[in-house]
Amino acid sequence: MQRDGIDNHILQLLRQDGRMSNANLAQAVGLSPSACLRRLHLLEANGVIRGYTALIDDGDEDDRATIVVQITLEKQTEDCMRKFEAAVRKCPQVRECFLMGGEVDYWLVVETDGMGGYERVHAETLSRLPHVARIRSNFAIRRVIR
């Protein structure tokens, strides 16, 4: 799908507020509500907008730890990757998982209740995932953008 400046503006506004009403969205991009809704439906139908989500406040952010975890597998066979991905999907503390190209195989974003929570997740979950050869953990100091 070819996108133009108006489509990109719609996407930018929805990234900031996914619950923005169509009337407000149309006004912000300079379209009639019906024209805006048509574009929105096209963006959804063509897979540009894959869905909407809610960002959940899990309590005081000072009590939360966000860790970016780099995982290297023993080997990169289809079977190893499939087993790892199936297991990591069952970990509720893993908020995001990316298959990577480069030095590591996967990047995980893990959120826990403080560093003690991460220590438990590391010992009880991450280190037991199938075919993991190495785990590297990077700790977020604070969130800048969400």
Side-chain angles (χ1 to χ4, degrees):
M1 171 183 182
Q2 290 284 16
R3 296 191 321 231
D4 62 14
I6 293 174
D7 292 327
N8 290 332
H9 194 194
I10 289 170
L11 295 171
Q12 176 189 14
L13 291 168
L14 288 176
R15 278 190 194 105
Q16 294 169 5
D17 180 4
R19 292 182 51 130
M20 179 180 280
S21 72
N22 182 61
N24 289 342
L25 187 61
Q27 183 178 17
V29 298
L31 292 175
S32 70
S34 60
C36 184
L37 192 57
R38 269 194 303 278
R39 282 182 181 252
L40 188 58
H41 287 161
L42 280 172
L43 290 167
E44 292 169 346
N46 285 297
V48 176
I49 297 175
R50 294 182 312 217
Y52 299 87
T53 190
L55 300 176
I56 307 300
D57 183 0
D58 289 329
D60 186 3
E61 200 143 320
D62 290 339
D63 295 337
R64 305 285 299 159
T66 301
I67 303 93
V68 177
V69 181
Q70 300 172 359
I71 301 283
T72 302
L73 299 181
E74 299 166 336
K75 49 190 172 183
Q76 294 180 334
T77 65
E78 183 178 336
D79 183 57
C80 288
M81 293 168 68
R82 185 179 60 253
K83 287 178 181 174
F84 172 82
E85 290 175 14
V88 81
R89 283 186 183 97
K90 296 176 185 174
C91 304
Q93 298 89 351
V94 176
R95 302 293 192 211
E96 298 182 78
C97 177
F98 300 92
L99 173 63
M100 302 299 291
E103 292 184 34
V104 298
D105 297 318
Y106 291 92
W107 275 34
L108 312 178
V109 177
V110 176
E111 291 186 0
T112 63
D113 293 325
M115 297 312 296
Y118 180 66
E119 183 178 7
R120 283 187 299 282
V121 169
H122 186 283
E124 297 170 8
T125 305
L126 298 179
S127 63
R128 296 179 184 179
L129 290 170
H131 304 291
V132 171
R134 185 173 59 233
I135 300 171
R136 281 191 176 152
S137 304
N138 300 281
F139 304 94
I141 296 170
R142 72 178 160 87
R143 184 179 316 274
V144 177
I145 298 174
R146 179 167 215 166

